[in-house]
Amino acid sequence: MPENPLFDYRPATNPSPLEAGGDPEKGTKAQINISVSAGAQNVYSDRIAVVVPVNTQSGTAFFTENPSIAVNDARWKPVALENDGDELIASDATHYAVTFHNASFKDPVTYPLVFSISGSIATATGDPLLVQVIESSSTKPQGFTKKNPRNLTLPVIEPIFYLRNFLSRNPNRSSIPRTRIDAGDPLQLAWESNGTYFWLYDGINDDPVYDGTATSWFDPSYTISNDTTFVLKASAAGGEQQTDSTQQATDGFESVELYASLTVTVNNPTLTGLTVTGDLSVDGIITGSGGARFDEDNGTFVRIRELRGPGGEHLKVNSTVEVVEGNDVSFAGDLSVDGSITGSGGARFDEDNGTFVRIRELRGPGGEHLKVNSTVEVVEGNDVSFAGDLSVDGSITGSGGARFDEDNGTYVRIRELRGPYGEHLKVNSTLEVIEGNDVTVADSLSVAGNKVVRDGDSIRLWNEQKGGYLYSSDYDYTDDRKYVFIWKPGSLVGGSSWSVSRD
Protein backbone atom coordinates (compact mmCIF):
# COMPACT_ATOMS: atom_id res chain seq x y z
CA MET A 1 0.00 0.00 0.00
CA PRO A 2 1.46 3.44 -0.97
CA GLU A 3 2.85 5.57 1.77
CA ASN A 4 2.13 9.21 2.47
CA PRO A 5 4.28 11.78 0.64
CA LEU A 6 7.68 12.60 2.11
CA PHE A 7 7.59 16.15 0.78
CA ASP A 8 5.43 18.99 2.02
CA TYR A 9 3.71 21.10 -0.68
CA ARG A 10 2.73 24.72 -0.10
CA PRO A 11 0.65 26.57 -2.74
CA ALA A 12 0.52 30.31 -3.45
CA THR A 13 -1.94 31.85 -5.94
CA ASN A 14 -2.49 35.04 -7.85
CA PRO A 15 -5.10 36.28 -7.36
CA SER A 16 -5.62 35.07 -3.86
CA PRO A 17 -8.10 33.50 -3.58
CA LEU A 18 -8.48 32.39 -7.20
CA GLU A 19 -11.37 33.90 -9.14
CA ALA A 20 -13.47 32.22 -11.85
CA GLY A 21 -16.78 32.72 -13.61
CA GLY A 22 -19.07 30.09 -15.17
CA ASP A 23 -18.35 30.84 -18.83
CA PRO A 24 -15.60 28.53 -20.17
CA GLU A 25 -15.09 30.92 -23.07
CA LYS A 26 -14.13 33.72 -20.70
CA GLY A 27 -11.74 32.12 -18.24
CA THR A 28 -10.04 34.14 -15.52
CA LYS A 29 -6.28 34.21 -15.44
CA ALA A 30 -4.74 32.15 -12.63
CA GLN A 31 -1.15 31.65 -11.46
CA ILE A 32 -0.19 28.93 -8.99
CA ASN A 33 3.20 28.22 -7.39
CA ILE A 34 3.76 24.98 -5.47
CA SER A 35 6.84 25.01 -3.22
CA VAL A 36 8.40 21.63 -2.34
CA SER A 37 9.94 21.21 1.11
CA ALA A 38 11.64 18.18 2.72
CA GLY A 39 11.63 19.55 6.23
CA ALA A 40 14.50 18.44 8.51
CA GLN A 41 15.13 15.07 6.78
CA ASN A 42 16.99 14.24 3.57
CA VAL A 43 14.51 13.24 0.86
CA TYR A 44 15.50 11.89 -2.56
CA SER A 45 13.17 11.81 -5.56
CA ASP A 46 13.39 10.67 -9.16
CA ARG A 47 9.95 11.88 -10.32
CA ILE A 48 7.15 14.28 -9.40
CA ALA A 49 3.90 14.68 -11.34
CA VAL A 50 1.48 17.64 -11.28
CA VAL A 51 -2.19 17.03 -12.24
CA VAL A 52 -4.93 19.67 -12.85
CA PRO A 53 -8.57 19.42 -14.07
CA VAL A 54 -9.29 20.59 -17.64
CA ASN A 55 -12.91 19.57 -18.22
CA THR A 56 -16.27 20.61 -16.87
CA GLN A 57 -16.98 16.98 -16.10
CA SER A 58 -14.34 17.01 -13.37
CA GLY A 59 -16.97 18.45 -11.02
CA THR A 60 -14.69 21.25 -9.76
CA ALA A 61 -13.19 24.47 -11.05
CA PHE A 62 -11.10 23.68 -14.12
CA PHE A 63 -8.64 25.11 -16.58
CA THR A 64 -10.32 26.12 -19.84
CA GLU A 65 -7.36 24.69 -21.78
CA ASN A 66 -4.14 22.88 -20.92
CA PRO A 67 -2.17 25.24 -18.68
CA SER A 68 1.58 25.84 -18.70
CA ILE A 69 3.29 23.71 -16.02
CA ALA A 70 6.99 24.40 -15.41
CA VAL A 71 9.70 24.12 -12.77
CA ASN A 72 12.39 26.52 -11.45
CA ASP A 73 15.29 24.01 -11.63
CA ALA A 74 16.72 22.65 -14.90
CA ARG A 75 17.67 19.35 -13.24
CA TRP A 76 13.99 18.45 -13.46
CA LYS A 77 12.90 17.66 -17.02
CA PRO A 78 9.23 17.41 -18.14
CA VAL A 79 8.32 14.08 -19.75
CA ALA A 80 5.13 13.17 -21.67
CA LEU A 81 2.89 10.52 -20.07
CA GLU A 82 3.54 8.01 -22.82
CA ASN A 83 7.27 8.28 -22.17
CA ASP A 84 7.05 8.06 -18.42
CA GLY A 85 7.66 4.30 -18.21
CA ASP A 86 6.26 3.25 -14.86
CA GLU A 87 3.55 5.89 -14.89
CA LEU A 88 2.92 7.86 -11.75
CA ILE A 89 -0.58 8.63 -13.01
CA ALA A 90 -2.97 7.14 -15.54
CA SER A 91 -4.30 8.98 -18.60
CA ASP A 92 -7.58 10.83 -17.98
CA ALA A 93 -9.50 13.01 -20.43
CA THR A 94 -10.72 15.27 -17.63
CA HIS A 95 -7.23 16.06 -16.33
CA TYR A 96 -3.94 17.36 -17.64
CA ALA A 97 -0.70 16.09 -16.11
CA VAL A 98 3.03 16.69 -16.49
CA THR A 99 5.67 14.40 -15.00
CA PHE A 100 9.13 15.82 -14.16
CA HIS A 101 12.17 13.49 -14.05
CA ASN A 102 15.05 14.39 -11.76
CA ALA A 103 18.43 14.04 -13.56
CA SER A 104 20.23 14.29 -10.18
CA PHE A 105 18.14 11.84 -8.19
CA LYS A 106 21.18 10.76 -6.14
CA ASP A 107 21.28 14.21 -4.53
CA PRO A 108 18.82 15.07 -1.77
CA VAL A 109 16.33 17.85 -2.53
CA THR A 110 17.77 20.48 -0.18
CA TYR A 111 17.50 23.30 -2.71
CA PRO A 112 14.46 25.50 -3.50
CA LEU A 113 12.12 23.55 -5.79
CA VAL A 114 8.98 25.24 -7.12
CA PHE A 115 6.46 24.14 -9.75
CA SER A 116 4.35 26.78 -11.50
CA ILE A 117 0.94 26.47 -13.18
CA SER A 118 -0.51 29.31 -15.26
CA GLY A 119 -3.62 29.49 -17.38
CA SER A 120 -7.29 30.50 -17.33
CA ILE A 121 -9.86 28.84 -15.08
CA ALA A 122 -13.65 28.67 -14.93
CA THR A 123 -16.25 27.03 -12.70
CA ALA A 124 -19.86 26.10 -13.23
CA THR A 125 -20.56 25.19 -9.64
CA GLY A 126 -18.42 27.56 -7.58
CA ASP A 127 -16.37 24.61 -6.31
CA PRO A 128 -12.63 24.96 -5.52
CA LEU A 129 -9.80 23.99 -7.84
CA LEU A 130 -8.17 20.64 -6.94
CA VAL A 131 -4.49 20.17 -7.82
CA GLN A 132 -2.79 16.80 -7.30
CA VAL A 133 0.93 16.28 -6.74
CA ILE A 134 2.28 12.68 -6.91
CA GLU A 135 5.87 11.89 -5.99
CA SER A 136 8.25 8.95 -6.35
CA SER A 137 10.62 9.32 -3.43
CA SER A 138 12.80 7.74 -0.75
CA THR A 139 14.93 8.68 2.22
CA LYS A 140 17.86 7.09 0.38
CA PRO A 141 19.25 7.64 -3.14
CA GLN A 142 17.65 4.41 -4.33
CA GLY A 143 14.48 2.36 -3.81
CA PHE A 144 12.12 5.09 -4.99
CA THR A 145 8.42 4.29 -4.55
CA LYS A 146 5.24 6.03 -5.59
CA LYS A 147 3.51 7.78 -2.70
CA ASN A 148 -0.12 8.67 -2.17
CA PRO A 149 -1.26 11.79 -4.07
CA ARG A 150 -1.20 15.09 -2.17
CA ASN A 151 -4.45 16.91 -2.93
CA LEU A 152 -4.23 20.74 -2.79
CA THR A 153 -7.63 22.38 -2.49
CA LEU A 154 -7.50 26.01 -3.73
CA PRO A 155 -10.55 28.19 -3.00
CA VAL A 156 -12.23 29.87 -5.99
CA ILE A 157 -14.64 32.81 -5.72
CA GLU A 158 -16.74 34.76 -8.20
CA PRO A 159 -14.61 37.38 -9.99
CA ILE A 160 -14.69 40.84 -8.42
CA PHE A 161 -13.73 44.04 -10.20
CA TYR A 162 -9.97 44.53 -9.76
CA LEU A 163 -7.06 46.66 -11.00
CA ARG A 164 -3.61 45.58 -9.92
CA ASN A 165 0.03 45.08 -10.93
CA PHE A 166 0.31 48.46 -12.65
CA LEU A 167 3.97 48.36 -13.78
CA SER A 168 6.44 50.08 -16.08
CA ARG A 169 8.43 47.63 -18.18
CA ASN A 170 11.34 47.55 -20.59
CA PRO A 171 9.78 47.32 -24.10
CA ASN A 172 12.50 44.84 -25.10
CA ARG A 173 12.25 42.76 -21.90
CA SER A 174 8.67 42.99 -20.70
CA SER A 175 9.25 40.65 -17.76
CA ILE A 176 11.55 43.19 -16.03
CA PRO A 177 9.95 46.09 -14.10
CA ARG A 178 11.50 49.42 -14.94
CA THR A 179 10.80 52.44 -12.75
CA ARG A 180 14.01 54.41 -13.45
CA ILE A 181 14.97 55.49 -16.97
CA ASP A 182 17.03 58.09 -18.84
CA ALA A 183 15.23 61.03 -20.41
CA GLY A 184 13.92 60.07 -23.84
CA ASP A 185 13.99 56.31 -23.25
CA PRO A 186 10.85 54.44 -24.38
CA LEU A 187 8.74 52.69 -21.77
CA GLN A 188 5.84 50.28 -21.71
CA LEU A 189 3.05 50.32 -19.13
CA ALA A 190 0.99 47.23 -18.33
CA TRP A 191 -1.63 46.28 -15.76
CA GLU A 192 -4.00 43.48 -14.76
CA SER A 193 -7.72 44.09 -14.58
CA ASN A 194 -11.07 42.59 -15.46
CA GLY A 195 -12.37 46.05 -16.24
CA THR A 196 -13.80 46.83 -19.65
CA TYR A 197 -12.26 50.25 -20.41
CA PHE A 198 -9.17 52.17 -19.30
CA TRP A 199 -7.82 55.73 -19.32
CA LEU A 200 -4.11 56.56 -18.76
CA TYR A 201 -3.03 60.06 -17.64
CA ASP A 202 0.52 61.41 -17.31
CA GLY A 203 -0.26 64.46 -15.15
CA ILE A 204 1.06 66.77 -17.89
CA ASN A 205 -1.81 66.77 -20.34
CA ASP A 206 -5.47 67.10 -19.46
CA ASP A 207 -6.38 64.49 -22.05
CA PRO A 208 -5.35 60.86 -21.47
CA VAL A 209 -2.30 59.61 -23.35
CA TYR A 210 -4.25 56.40 -23.91
CA ASP A 211 -7.83 55.18 -23.62
CA GLY A 212 -9.14 51.79 -24.74
CA THR A 213 -9.75 48.19 -23.74
CA ALA A 214 -6.17 46.83 -23.82
CA THR A 215 -4.29 46.12 -20.57
CA SER A 216 -0.96 47.47 -21.81
CA TRP A 217 0.27 50.59 -23.60
CA PHE A 218 3.38 51.38 -25.61
CA ASP A 219 3.96 54.36 -27.89
CA PRO A 220 7.54 54.67 -29.24
CA SER A 221 6.98 58.36 -30.00
CA TYR A 222 6.05 59.16 -26.38
CA THR A 223 8.92 60.06 -24.04
CA ILE A 224 9.27 61.83 -20.70
CA SER A 225 12.01 64.25 -19.63
CA ASN A 226 11.40 64.39 -15.87
CA ASP A 227 9.85 62.36 -13.06
CA THR A 228 6.29 61.49 -14.04
CA THR A 229 3.41 59.98 -12.09
CA PHE A 230 0.99 58.03 -14.29
CA VAL A 231 -2.60 57.56 -13.12
CA LEU A 232 -4.67 54.69 -14.56
CA LYS A 233 -8.47 54.64 -14.36
CA ALA A 234 -10.41 51.39 -14.96
CA SER A 235 -14.14 51.15 -15.48
CA ALA A 236 -16.41 48.11 -15.18
CA ALA A 237 -19.18 49.86 -17.10
CA GLY A 238 -17.30 50.29 -20.36
CA GLY A 239 -16.14 53.44 -22.04
CA GLU A 240 -17.19 53.10 -25.62
CA GLN A 241 -20.60 54.62 -24.94
CA GLN A 242 -18.83 57.94 -24.41
CA THR A 243 -18.17 58.09 -28.14
CA ASP A 244 -21.56 56.68 -29.10
CA SER A 245 -23.91 59.62 -29.53
CA THR A 246 -26.95 57.30 -29.51
CA GLN A 247 -26.28 56.02 -25.97
CA GLN A 248 -27.10 58.34 -23.09
CA ALA A 249 -26.95 57.42 -19.40
CA THR A 250 -29.99 58.24 -17.28
CA ASP A 251 -29.81 60.56 -14.32
CA GLY A 252 -28.25 58.95 -11.28
CA PHE A 253 -26.11 56.44 -13.17
CA GLU A 254 -22.65 56.08 -11.62
CA SER A 255 -19.87 54.00 -13.09
CA VAL A 256 -17.78 51.82 -10.78
CA GLU A 257 -14.14 52.85 -11.30
CA LEU A 258 -10.77 51.91 -9.85
CA TYR A 259 -7.54 53.94 -9.89
CA ALA A 260 -3.86 53.05 -9.72
CA SER A 261 -0.79 55.26 -9.87
CA LEU A 262 2.84 54.66 -10.85
CA THR A 263 5.83 57.03 -10.66
CA VAL A 264 8.65 56.71 -13.19
CA THR A 265 11.91 58.39 -12.16
CA VAL A 266 14.16 60.04 -14.77
CA ASN A 267 17.90 59.89 -14.04
CA ASN A 268 18.73 63.09 -15.94
CA PRO A 269 15.57 65.20 -15.72
CA THR A 270 14.89 68.53 -17.41
CA LEU A 271 13.44 70.84 -14.76
CA THR A 272 11.47 74.05 -15.31
CA GLY A 273 12.57 75.22 -11.87
CA LEU A 274 14.29 73.91 -8.76
CA THR A 275 14.13 75.31 -5.24
CA VAL A 276 16.30 73.60 -2.63
CA THR A 277 15.61 74.51 1.01
CA GLY A 278 18.37 72.28 2.36
CA ASP A 279 21.73 71.25 0.98
CA LEU A 280 22.26 70.38 -2.68
CA SER A 281 25.20 68.08 -3.43
CA VAL A 282 26.18 67.34 -7.03
CA ASP A 283 28.78 64.68 -7.84
CA GLY A 284 28.73 65.41 -11.55
CA ILE A 285 28.08 68.55 -13.61
CA ILE A 286 25.18 70.99 -13.64
CA THR A 287 24.56 72.39 -17.13
CA GLY A 288 21.82 74.65 -18.38
CA SER A 289 20.87 77.17 -21.03
CA GLY A 290 19.11 79.41 -18.52
CA GLY A 291 20.48 80.55 -15.18
CA ALA A 292 20.83 79.51 -11.57
CA ARG A 293 20.09 81.74 -8.59
CA PHE A 294 21.31 81.10 -5.08
CA ASP A 295 19.65 83.32 -2.47
CA GLU A 296 21.16 84.03 0.93
CA ASP A 297 19.03 82.35 3.57
CA ASN A 298 19.85 82.04 7.26
CA GLY A 299 23.58 82.04 6.67
CA THR A 300 23.53 79.07 4.29
CA PHE A 301 26.06 78.86 1.51
CA VAL A 302 26.79 77.15 -1.78
CA ARG A 303 29.89 75.04 -2.36
CA ILE A 304 30.85 74.82 -6.04
CA ARG A 305 33.93 72.85 -7.03
CA GLU A 306 34.32 74.35 -10.50
CA LEU A 307 32.53 76.94 -12.62
CA ARG A 308 32.82 76.76 -16.41
CA GLY A 309 31.32 78.69 -19.28
CA PRO A 310 29.00 76.81 -21.66
CA GLY A 311 30.49 74.93 -24.61
CA GLY A 312 34.07 75.79 -23.74
CA GLU A 313 33.37 79.54 -23.70
CA HIS A 314 34.46 81.92 -20.96
CA LEU A 315 32.42 82.04 -17.78
CA LYS A 316 30.44 85.27 -17.65
CA VAL A 317 29.38 86.77 -14.31
CA ASN A 318 26.98 89.67 -14.76
CA SER A 319 26.55 90.52 -11.10
CA THR A 320 28.63 91.44 -8.08
CA VAL A 321 30.68 88.60 -6.62
CA GLU A 322 31.08 89.07 -2.89
CA VAL A 323 33.63 86.97 -1.07
CA VAL A 324 32.62 86.55 2.56
CA GLU A 325 35.24 87.43 5.15
CA GLY A 326 37.63 84.59 5.86
CA ASN A 327 37.45 83.17 2.34
CA ASP A 328 39.72 83.50 -0.67
CA VAL A 329 39.28 83.41 -4.43
CA SER A 330 42.05 81.58 -6.27
CA PHE A 331 42.56 81.54 -10.04
CA ALA A 332 44.63 78.74 -11.52
CA GLY A 333 44.58 80.33 -14.97
CA ASP A 334 44.11 83.86 -16.28
CA LEU A 335 41.64 86.39 -14.91
CA SER A 336 40.39 89.02 -17.35
CA VAL A 337 38.17 91.80 -15.99
CA ASP A 338 36.61 94.44 -18.24
CA GLY A 339 35.13 96.31 -15.31
CA SER A 340 36.38 96.73 -11.75
CA ILE A 341 37.39 94.45 -8.90
CA THR A 342 36.62 95.95 -5.49
CA GLY A 343 36.96 94.55 -2.04
CA SER A 344 37.29 95.43 1.64
CA GLY A 345 39.88 92.71 2.18
CA GLY A 346 42.92 92.08 0.06
CA ALA A 347 44.09 90.36 -3.08
CA ARG A 348 47.23 88.27 -3.34
CA PHE A 349 48.91 87.29 -6.59
CA ASP A 350 51.55 84.60 -6.15
CA GLU A 351 54.32 84.03 -8.67
CA ASP A 352 53.79 80.65 -10.30
CA ASN A 353 56.00 79.31 -13.09
CA GLY A 354 56.56 82.73 -14.59
CA THR A 355 52.89 83.69 -14.81
CA PHE A 356 51.90 87.30 -14.33
CA VAL A 357 48.96 89.55 -13.58
CA ARG A 358 47.84 92.28 -15.96
CA ILE A 359 45.88 95.02 -14.20
CA ARG A 360 44.63 97.98 -16.22
CA GLU A 361 43.86 100.25 -13.28
CA LEU A 362 44.11 100.09 -9.48
CA ARG A 363 41.82 102.25 -7.38
CA GLY A 364 41.14 102.65 -3.71
CA PRO A 365 37.68 101.74 -2.37
CA GLY A 366 34.88 104.31 -2.42
CA GLY A 367 36.96 107.03 -4.02
CA GLU A 368 39.67 106.80 -1.34
CA HIS A 369 43.37 106.53 -2.04
CA LEU A 370 44.81 103.17 -2.99
CA LYS A 371 46.80 101.76 -0.09
CA VAL A 372 49.64 99.31 -0.73
CA ASN A 373 50.98 97.80 2.51
CA SER A 374 53.66 95.61 0.95
CA THR A 375 56.65 95.90 -1.33
CA VAL A 376 55.81 96.51 -4.99
CA GLU A 377 58.44 94.88 -7.17
CA VAL A 378 58.55 95.88 -10.82
CA VAL A 379 60.11 93.12 -12.90
CA GLU A 380 62.99 94.18 -15.13
CA GLY A 381 61.87 95.55 -18.46
CA ASN A 382 58.62 96.96 -17.07
CA ASP A 383 57.61 100.45 -15.96
CA VAL A 384 55.20 101.93 -13.50
CA SER A 385 53.40 105.00 -14.84
CA PHE A 386 51.20 107.34 -12.81
CA ALA A 387 48.77 109.54 -14.72
CA GLY A 388 47.83 111.42 -11.57
CA ASP A 389 49.57 112.12 -8.28
CA LEU A 390 51.69 109.65 -6.34
CA SER A 391 51.88 110.19 -2.60
CA VAL A 392 54.25 108.06 -0.53
CA ASP A 393 54.43 108.31 3.27
CA GLY A 394 57.39 105.94 3.41
CA SER A 395 60.19 105.31 0.97
CA ILE A 396 60.46 104.32 -2.67
CA THR A 397 63.51 102.13 -3.29
CA GLY A 398 64.75 100.37 -6.34
CA SER A 399 67.79 98.89 -8.03
CA GLY A 400 66.80 100.42 -11.36
CA GLY A 401 65.66 103.97 -11.85
CA ALA A 402 62.64 106.25 -11.78
CA ARG A 403 61.77 108.62 -14.59
CA PHE A 404 59.43 111.56 -14.29
CA ASP A 405 58.43 112.98 -17.69
CA GLU A 406 57.15 116.53 -18.11
CA ASP A 407 53.56 116.37 -19.20
CA ASN A 408 51.36 119.43 -19.64
CA GLY A 409 53.03 121.29 -16.84
CA THR A 410 52.63 118.60 -14.20
CA TYR A 411 55.30 118.11 -11.59
CA VAL A 412 56.62 115.74 -8.99
CA ARG A 413 56.84 116.64 -5.31
CA ILE A 414 59.51 114.68 -3.44
CA ARG A 415 59.98 115.32 0.25
CA GLU A 416 63.42 113.68 0.52
CA LEU A 417 65.83 111.97 -1.88
CA ARG A 418 68.32 109.46 -0.46
CA GLY A 419 70.89 107.15 -1.91
CA PRO A 420 70.32 103.42 -1.46
CA TYR A 421 71.30 101.77 1.82
CA GLY A 422 72.91 104.90 3.33
CA GLU A 423 75.09 105.65 0.29
CA HIS A 424 75.30 109.06 -1.38
CA LEU A 425 72.54 110.05 -3.78
CA LYS A 426 73.86 110.04 -7.32
CA VAL A 427 72.29 112.24 -9.99
CA ASN A 428 73.60 111.31 -13.47
CA SER A 429 71.71 113.95 -15.41
CA THR A 430 71.36 117.71 -15.52
CA LEU A 431 69.44 119.05 -12.58
CA GLU A 432 67.41 122.06 -13.61
CA VAL A 433 65.85 124.20 -10.93
CA ILE A 434 62.89 126.07 -12.38
CA GLU A 435 62.80 129.81 -11.80
CA GLY A 436 61.22 130.78 -8.55
CA ASN A 437 62.45 127.66 -6.78
CA ASP A 438 65.46 127.10 -4.55
CA VAL A 439 67.71 124.20 -3.79
CA THR A 440 68.42 123.95 -0.08
CA VAL A 441 71.26 121.74 1.14
CA ALA A 442 71.15 120.98 4.85
CA ASP A 443 74.78 119.82 4.87
CA SER A 444 77.80 120.60 2.68
CA LEU A 445 77.56 120.50 -1.11
CA SER A 446 80.46 119.05 -3.12
CA VAL A 447 81.01 119.36 -6.85
CA ALA A 448 83.63 117.11 -8.49
CA GLY A 449 84.99 116.34 -5.05
CA ASN A 450 85.21 120.00 -3.92
CA LYS A 451 82.83 121.65 -1.54
CA VAL A 452 80.73 124.50 -2.89
CA VAL A 453 80.94 127.88 -1.09
CA ARG A 454 77.56 128.91 0.14
CA ASP A 455 76.09 132.25 1.03
CA GLY A 456 77.06 133.02 4.64
CA ASP A 457 80.05 130.63 4.72
CA SER A 458 83.23 131.88 6.50
CA ILE A 459 86.36 131.23 4.39
CA ARG A 460 90.11 131.86 4.22
CA LEU A 461 91.67 132.99 0.91
CA TRP A 462 95.03 131.48 -0.08
CA ASN A 463 97.25 133.26 -2.58
CA GLU A 464 98.87 130.69 -4.85
CA GLN A 465 101.73 133.03 -6.08
CA LYS A 466 102.81 134.48 -2.74
CA GLY A 467 102.07 131.41 -0.69
CA GLY A 468 100.10 133.06 2.06
CA TYR A 469 96.57 133.84 3.37
CA LEU A 470 94.92 137.12 2.66
CA TYR A 471 94.08 139.06 5.81
CA SER A 472 93.07 142.50 6.95
CA SER A 473 95.60 144.20 9.28
CA ASP A 474 94.94 146.54 12.12
CA TYR A 475 96.63 149.45 10.27
CA ASP A 476 94.26 152.06 8.86
CA TYR A 477 94.95 153.45 5.47
CA THR A 478 92.31 156.10 5.87
CA ASP A 479 89.44 156.47 8.24
CA ASP A 480 87.30 153.99 6.32
CA ARG A 481 90.00 151.88 4.73
CA LYS A 482 92.53 149.35 5.96
CA TYR A 483 95.63 147.71 4.56
CA VAL A 484 95.36 144.09 3.18
CA PHE A 485 98.43 141.89 3.54
CA ILE A 486 99.57 138.41 2.73
CA TRP A 487 100.20 136.35 5.81
CA LYS A 488 102.53 133.44 5.56
CA PRO A 489 101.60 130.47 7.61
CA GLY A 490 102.72 130.60 11.17
CA SER A 491 100.75 131.86 14.09
CA LEU A 492 97.24 132.85 13.07
CA VAL A 493 96.58 136.49 12.91
CA GLY A 494 93.29 138.28 13.17
CA GLY A 495 91.42 139.35 10.09
CA SER A 496 92.07 136.14 8.08
CA SER A 497 88.44 134.94 8.06
CA TRP A 498 86.23 136.22 5.21
CA SER A 499 82.42 135.87 5.01
CA VAL A 500 80.71 135.08 1.64
CA SER A 501 77.49 136.99 0.87
CA ARG A 502 75.37 137.69 -2.16
CA ASP A 503 75.28 141.22 -3.60
Side-chain angles (χ1 to χ4, degrees):
M1 183 177 180
E3 300 174 350
N4 290 329
L6 298 178
F7 289 116
D8 184 27
Y9 300 94
R10 297 179 182 178
T13 67
N14 181 29
S16 180
L18 295 173
E19 299 174 2
D23 187 352
E25 300 299 325
K26 295 182 179 179
T28 303
K29 185 177 180 181
Q31 293 176 303
I32 305 169
N33 280 176
I34 301 174
S35 298
V36 181
S37 174
Q41 63 180 338
N42 281 339
V43 177
Y44 302 81
S45 176
D46 63 341
R47 289 176 298 167
I48 294 179
V50 179
V51 185
V52 295
V54 292
N55 190 291
T56 57
Q57 302 302 319
S58 64
T60 64
F62 59 93
F63 281 90
T64 58
E65 59 184 9
N66 291 345
S68 170
I69 303 178
V71 67
N72 70 329
D73 195 301
R75 287 172 286 191
W76 292 78
K77 307 293 184 182
V79 177
L81 289 181
E82 59 270 19
N83 299 324
D84 189 21
D86 182 14
E87 296 180 354
L88 286 178
I89 58 174
S91 298
D92 184 349
T94 62
H95 292 81
Y96 174 70
V98 176
T99 300
F100 293 87
H101 284 209
N102 184 7
S104 302
F105 59 85
K106 293 184 178 181
D107 297 328
V109 180
T110 57
Y111 46 85
L113 181 61
V114 182
F115 295 96
S116 69
I117 308 169
S118 58
S120 295
I121 63 174
T123 180
T125 61
D127 290 330
L129 179 70
L130 299 181
V131 178
Q132 276 191 344
V133 182
I134 304 170
E135 67 182 60
S136 172
S137 59
S138 173
T139 56
K140 298 179 181 180
Q142 69 271 340
F144 301 105
T145 59
K146 177 182 176 180
K147 303 299 189 292
N148 287 324
R150 174 60 57 85
N151 294 320
L152 303 177
T153 302
L154 306 179
V156 178
I157 63 174
E158 284 288 331
I160 58 176
F161 181 31
Y162 65 88
L163 174 63
R164 57 183 175 238
N165 292 335
F166 183 28
L167 297 174
S168 170
R169 304 176 186 273
N170 186 326
N172 299 319
R173 302 179 66 185
S174 60
S175 62
I176 300 177
R178 190 185 193 194
T179 57
R180 183 179 292 274
I181 64 173
D182 290 333
D185 283 355
L187 73 158
Q188 180 186 44
L189 302 182
W191 55 93
E192 293 180 5
S193 176
N194 57 356
T196 56
Y197 208 82
F198 307 96
W199 296 262
L200 179 64
Y201 299 88
D202 62 3
I204 302 172
N205 305 290
D206 292 336
D207 296 330
V209 296
Y210 166 77
D211 65 289
T213 59
T215 56
S216 66
W217 171 76
F218 172 63
D219 182 353
S221 65
Y222 179 87
T223 59
I224 59 176
S225 58
N226 50 36
D227 296 356
T228 302
T229 298
F230 292 93
V231 176
L232 177 66
K233 179 174 76 171
S235 172
E240 296 166 342
Q241 69 269 24
Q242 299 194 14
T243 60
D244 185 352
S245 60
T246 64
Q247 183 176 6
Q248 298 292 330
T250 61
D251 292 342
F253 173 81
E254 293 184 6
S255 170
V256 177
E257 298 169 348
L258 293 177
Y259 291 85
S261 63
L262 170 69
T263 298
V264 178
T265 302
V266 176
N267 297 319
N268 52 336
T270 299
L271 304 177
T272 57
L274 175 64
T275 301
V276 182
T277 57
D279 294 338
L280 173 64
S281 298
V282 179
D283 293 333
I285 299 174
I286 298 179
T287 60
S289 58
R293 188 183 74 213
F294 301 95
D295 299 326
E296 182 179 359
D297 183 16
N298 300 321
T300 59
F301 50 85
V302 177
R303 295 188 183 276
I304 301 176
R305 185 180 302 278
E306 185 175 357
L307 285 174
R308 293 187 179 182
E313 299 178 3
H314 291 168
L315 174 67
K316 296 181 181 180
V317 180
N318 62 353
S319 180
T320 302
V321 177
E322 179 181 353
V323 182
V324 181
E325 184 177 356
N327 294 277
D328 297 326
V329 176
S330 299
F331 296 91
D334 296 336
L335 171 65
S336 297
V337 181
D338 293 334
S340 302
I341 297 179
T342 60
S344 58
R348 188 183 72 213
F349 303 94
D350 299 325
E351 182 181 358
D352 183 16
N353 300 323
T355 59
F356 50 84
V357 178
R358 294 187 184 276
I359 301 175
R360 187 180 302 277
E361 184 177 355
L362 287 174
R363 292 187 180 182
E368 299 178 3
H369 291 168
L370 174 66
K371 296 180 181 180
V372 180
N373 62 354
S374 179
T375 301
V376 176
E377 179 180 353
V378 181
V379 180
E380 184 177 356
N382 294 277
D383 298 326
V384 177
S385 299
F386 296 91
D389 295 338
L390 171 64
S391 298
V392 181
D393 292 335
S395 302
I396 296 179
T397 61
S399 59
R403 189 182 72 214
F404 303 94
D405 298 325
E406 182 180 358
D407 184 15
N408 299 323
T410 57
Y411 51 84
V412 178
R413 295 187 182 276
I414 301 176
R415 184 181 303 277
E416 186 176 355
L417 285 174
R418 292 187 181 183
Y421 305 110
E423 298 179 5
H424 291 169
L425 173 66
K426 296 180 181 180
V427 180
N428 62 353
S429 180
T430 300
L431 181 63
E432 179 183 354
V433 181
I434 299 175
E435 185 178 355
N437 293 278
D438 296 328
V439 176
T440 302
V441 181
D443 204 343
S444 61
L445 177 65
S446 298
V447 177
N450 297 314
K451 292 184 177 180
V452 176
V453 178
R454 301 168 298 176
D455 183 17
D457 280 353
S458 178
I459 62 172
R460 291 185 177 87
L461 299 179
W462 176 264
N463 189 287
E464 296 288 347
Q465 288 79 20
K466 301 300 183 180
Y469 290 101
L470 180 67
Y471 78 98
S472 175
S473 70
D474 293 333
Y475 302 107
D476 293 333
Y477 178 70
T478 63
D479 291 341
D480 57 352
R481 300 178 185 178
K482 289 184 179 292
Y483 289 101
V484 176
F485 296 96
I486 295 294
W487 163 70
K488 293 184 178 180
S491 299
L492 290 176
V493 295
S496 62
S497 176
W498 303 87
S499 176
V500 178
S501 62
R502 294 181 181 276
D503 291 338

